[in-house]
Amino acid sequence: PAFHFSLFTIDYTHMQITEHYPAFANKTLLVLTNNELAKLYAGDGREIDALEIIDTNAGKSLPQDGRKDGIAMVDTDAEKRQRLVELYGLLNDRLLDLLKKDFVDIILCVPEANKNELVAALHTDVEKRVKSVIPKNLASMELVQVMRILFET
């Protein structure tokens, strides 16, 4: 299907870019990250498709009230740091694999506070393909909004 519904939002798995915006000149990986996940998209010409989500919190959910055995569970700075290290390691490995499939460019969207850490975690072959780093947390936005931000800034 062209799209599927998730709770309260439409999450596009395929989108055609309007003539209002420029097309991707090369086969491009668009990566949207936050502190827990990375969403990967493939852009080619006027088409963009969702590839996958790397989620370091998958299967690690707490009870809905955020408590375990009556004790409030809070992420410590060390846990957050470890999750970032894990996320960037998984992302780097996946990008290396995807670059073998004819992708030419990479666009990274990463929270500004994590920008240097993400770039430092990338293999040299991945880093060479990074066309731009957008210091914004766009991972929770719908793809239509992300494209508007990317092309209008």
Side-chain angles (χ1 to χ4, degrees):
F3 60 89
H4 68 275
F5 289 95
S6 56
L7 194 58
F8 304 119
T9 61
I10 298 174
D11 185 13
Y12 292 91
T13 57
H14 174 83
M15 189 176 101
Q16 188 162 8
I17 301 169
T18 68
E19 297 288 327
H20 181 71
Y21 300 120
F24 289 102
N26 300 305
K27 195 169 177 185
T28 301
L29 287 164
L30 172 62
V31 181
L32 312 178
T33 69
N34 61 21
N35 293 327
E36 299 174 350
L37 60 82
K39 294 181 178 180
L40 284 69
Y41 296 89
D44 193 7
R46 297 208 162 275
E47 307 289 322
I48 188 158
D49 293 288
L51 292 177
E52 64 190 85
I53 297 174
I54 300 170
D55 188 349
T56 58
N57 246 357
K60 299 179 187 175
S61 62
L62 293 173
Q64 195 167 4
D65 66 359
R67 301 171 82 74
K68 183 176 178 184
D69 299 327
I71 301 168
M73 302 297 290
V74 180
D75 267 349
T76 65
D77 287 343
E79 289 169 329
K80 290 177 184 177
R81 181 129 212 66
Q82 180 56 38
R83 198 163 40 242
L84 271 182
V85 168
E86 179 184 355
L87 174 63
Y88 294 162
L90 291 169
L91 177 59
N92 179 66
D93 292 347
R94 188 63 183 125
L95 291 175
L96 274 170
D97 288 342
L98 289 168
L99 287 175
K100 295 172 187 169
K101 298 182 179 178
D102 300 325
F103 286 97
V104 176
D105 296 325
I106 300 172
I107 299 172
L108 296 174
C109 299
V110 57
E112 188 167 5
N114 302 342
K115 177 182 163 187
N116 293 337
E117 187 172 353
L118 173 56
V119 172
L122 297 177
H123 186 279
T124 307
D125 293 340
V126 174
E127 191 176 359
K128 284 190 241 178
R129 301 285 188 89
V130 174
K131 181 178 178 183
S132 61
V133 178
I134 313 297
K136 294 182 186 237
N137 183 351
L138 306 178
S140 62
M141 299 180 112
E142 292 183 30
L143 186 55
V144 173
Q145 295 169 310
V146 170
M147 298 310 290
R148 188 175 302 128
I149 290 168
L150 291 180
F151 289 123
E152 292 180 358
T153 55

